[in-house]
């Protein structure tokens, strides 16, 4: 054991939908952060711990940084920028496309970062090779980024190279967490996230964004665990949309979520879901606090 051990926090930031959660899951080889084709999927900081022979990397997936329209958005942006205070290395993810306004503002903020910032161009499986070089040149000319690394988080292209670069950017030090620890949040948090993922998958327009999930009960029982969740919507009219004709919508969410929860916790589950209204919860500081959306 003469090799030095490196450990540290790796903040993953970027605008919504660029593939931050996909990358976290790719690094861990486990799906711990929910992924959907819709933007603004992640609303909390999700920690994923990868312990190797010579290093421990603590990845922090974050909500996409956006132009906030209501209090939940403001909390999400705060949560994302907060990781800049914790991270030893920052991974800033973009898509292989021209920069958006919000990204220019993120870059401004990153330009005063003390720690190394790696620029990751994700989704390179979606573009022609010759469009990549001019993009790399644009980012290189900013003189902000420690490295510029093109990847496809979905196809696992370039992700090993990125992991190596992250590792070499970390400080020397002892591991922060036990080697078998994967994340910092309890099973009930991930159960709620999985239910939210299914709502993002099956509902359109405002429904996913007006929804939050609270796990009221999580009891380990034989032969099945008992989980009771409440899906909160913002208006009574949304309850019916969510429940669907003869309860079909809710049933689909519940069945699929149950399967994923069972896979995650390795036990059989009885999942009971209720739908309730909490008027305009996304705009209420008290409700956001109650639902766990306040950055400590
Ligand atoms: N083609 C392609 N799609 C990708 C890649 N990485 C992620 N995606 C897709 O992009 C979409 C968004 O991925 P997420 O990982 O949820 O993105 P995110 O940045 O975490 O999004 P927010 O949580 O909303 O901020 C999903 O449909 C992913 O499957 C990639 O390398 N190639
Ligand atoms: Mg995400």
């Amino acid at each position: 054991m003469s090799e030095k051990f490196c450990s540290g926090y790796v903040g993953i930031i970027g605008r919504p939908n660029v593939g931050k959660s996909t990358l976290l899951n790719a690094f861990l080889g486990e799906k711990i952060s929910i992924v959907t084709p819709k933007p603004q999927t992640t609303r909390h900081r999700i920690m994923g711990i990868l312990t190797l022979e010579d290093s421990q990397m603590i990845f922090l997936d974050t909500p996409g940084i956006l132009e906030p329209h209501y209090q939940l958005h403001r909390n999400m942006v705060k949560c994302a920028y907060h990781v800049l205070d914790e991270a030893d290395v920052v991974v800033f993810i973009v898509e292989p496309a021209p920069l958006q306004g919000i990204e220019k503002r993120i870059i401004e903020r990153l330009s005063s970062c003390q720690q190394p910032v790696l620029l990751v161009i994700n989704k390179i499986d979606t573009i022609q090779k010759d469009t990549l070089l001019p993009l790399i040149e644009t980012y290189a000319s900013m003189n902000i980024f420690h490295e510029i690394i093109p990847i496809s988080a979905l196809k696992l292209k370039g992700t090993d190279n990125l992991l190596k670069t992250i590792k070499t950017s970390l400080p020397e030090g002892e591991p922060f967490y036990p080697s078998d620890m994967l994340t910092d949040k309890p099973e009930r948090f991930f159960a709620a996230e999985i239910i939210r993922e299914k709502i993002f998958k099956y509902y359109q327009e405002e429904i996913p964004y007006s929804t939050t999930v609270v796990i009221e009960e999580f009891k380990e029982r034989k032969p099945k665990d008992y989980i009771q969740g409440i899906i909160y919507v913002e208006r009574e009219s949304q309850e019916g949309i969510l429940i669907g004709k003869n309860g079909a919508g809710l049933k689909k969410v519940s069945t699929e979520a149950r399967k994923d929860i069972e896979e995650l916790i390795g036990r059989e589950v009885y999942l009971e879901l209720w739908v309730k209204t909490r008027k305009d919860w996304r705009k209420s500081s008290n409700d956001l606090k109650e639902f766990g959306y306040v950055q400590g």
Side-chain angles (χ1 to χ4, degrees):
M1 287 286 283
S2 58
E3 287 260 312
K4 61 174 188 164
F5 196 93
C6 295
S7 62
Y9 287 81
V10 183
I12 304 175
I13 69 165
R15 70 171 166 79
N17 217 39
V18 292
K20 298 178 294 299
S21 304
T22 307
L23 180 64
L24 175 81
N25 295 338
F27 280 152
L28 295 182
E30 296 242 9
K31 195 180 154 192
I32 66 159
S33 197
I34 60 169
V35 169
T36 82
K38 294 189 178 75
Q40 303 174 38
T41 301
T42 307
R43 291 177 181 164
H44 300 86
R45 188 197 78 164
I46 312 282
M47 181 191 284
I49 307 164
L50 180 66
T51 307
L52 305 173
E53 288 247 303
D54 57 354
S55 54
Q56 181 172 75
M57 286 167 260
I58 304 135
F59 296 104
L60 305 172
D61 179 21
T62 61
I65 296 171
L66 41 61
E67 201 58 70
H69 293 299
Y70 40 83
Q71 192 58 39
L72 172 63
H73 277 164
R74 280 187 277 280
N75 291 14
M76 284 160 62
V77 171
K78 202 169 156 196
C79 170
Y81 277 129
H82 187 74
V83 302
L84 297 182
D85 298 335
E86 300 173 275
D88 297 290
V89 180
V90 178
V91 171
F92 173 47
I93 307 190
V94 295
E95 285 193 9
L99 274 182
Q100 296 194 356
I102 190 77
E103 284 169 332
K104 290 182 186 154
R105 283 198 290 283
I106 301 172
I107 291 171
E108 241 175 72
R109 185 101 175 225
L110 292 176
S111 65
S112 59
C113 254
Q114 299 304 308
Q115 56 276 68
V117 181
L118 311 179
L119 189 277
V120 169
I121 306 175
N122 189 29
K123 306 196 184 182
I124 54 161
D125 57 295
T126 62
I127 53 153
Q128 301 287 338
K129 262 199 179 135
D130 55 0
T131 55
L132 195 57
L133 202 60
L135 266 177
I136 293 176
E137 279 168 359
T138 308
Y139 286 112
S141 69
M142 295 176 183
N143 288 322
I144 293 173
F145 305 112
H146 202 73
E147 295 266 357
I148 298 170
I149 302 165
I151 65 160
S152 167
L154 189 68
K155 311 264 183 207
L156 301 179
K157 286 231 170 72
T159 42
D160 282 348
N161 178 35
L162 174 58
L163 195 68
K164 260 188 225 147
T165 311
I166 292 171
K167 202 155 71 173
T168 54
S169 314
L170 286 179
E172 204 176 324
E174 295 296 310
F176 289 85
Y177 297 96
S179 61
D180 59 351
M181 191 168 154
L182 189 65
T183 188
D184 60 341
K185 289 206 167 60
E187 286 175 342
R188 62 194 296 146
F189 171 81
F190 294 100
E193 286 289 275
I194 288 169
I195 296 162
R196 229 165 42 72
E197 183 186 65
K198 304 311 168 199
I199 297 166
F200 264 70
K201 181 171 170 188
Y202 288 117
Y203 296 87
Q204 306 309 320
E205 293 165 18
E206 272 302 289
I207 295 288
Y209 301 102
S210 309
T211 302
T212 192
V213 177
V214 172
I215 301 297
E216 286 282 304
E217 277 192 67
F218 194 135
K219 289 207 175 106
E220 283 195 38
R221 278 187 190 163
K222 291 270 178 300
K224 291 181 181 186
D225 284 12
Y226 172 74
I227 303 177
Q228 189 194 78
I230 300 179
I231 301 172
Y232 284 99
V233 289
E234 284 200 315
R235 290 189 300 277
E236 266 172 40
S237 59
Q238 294 170 331
E239 288 188 19
I241 302 173
L242 205 90
I243 292 165
K245 210 171 167 193
N246 299 322
L250 194 59
K251 175 105 188 121
K252 200 150 78 174
V253 166
S254 163
T255 307
E256 228 179 88
R258 176 183 54 76
K259 286 183 191 153
D260 282 14
I261 295 168
E262 285 178 341
E263 200 178 309
L264 181 83
I265 69 176
R267 301 186 298 272
E268 282 196 276
V269 163
Y270 179 79
L271 176 64
E272 191 174 284
L273 290 179
W274 298 91
V275 181
K276 287 187 183 176
T277 300
R278 182 73 65 89
K279 202 169 175 309
D280 293 332
W281 65 265
R282 281 183 291 177
K283 296 181 187 141
S284 152
S285 295
N286 280 344
D287 290 338
L288 288 168
K289 197 167 172 189
E290 182 187 327
F291 295 151
Y293 290 116
V294 174
Q295 175 66 40

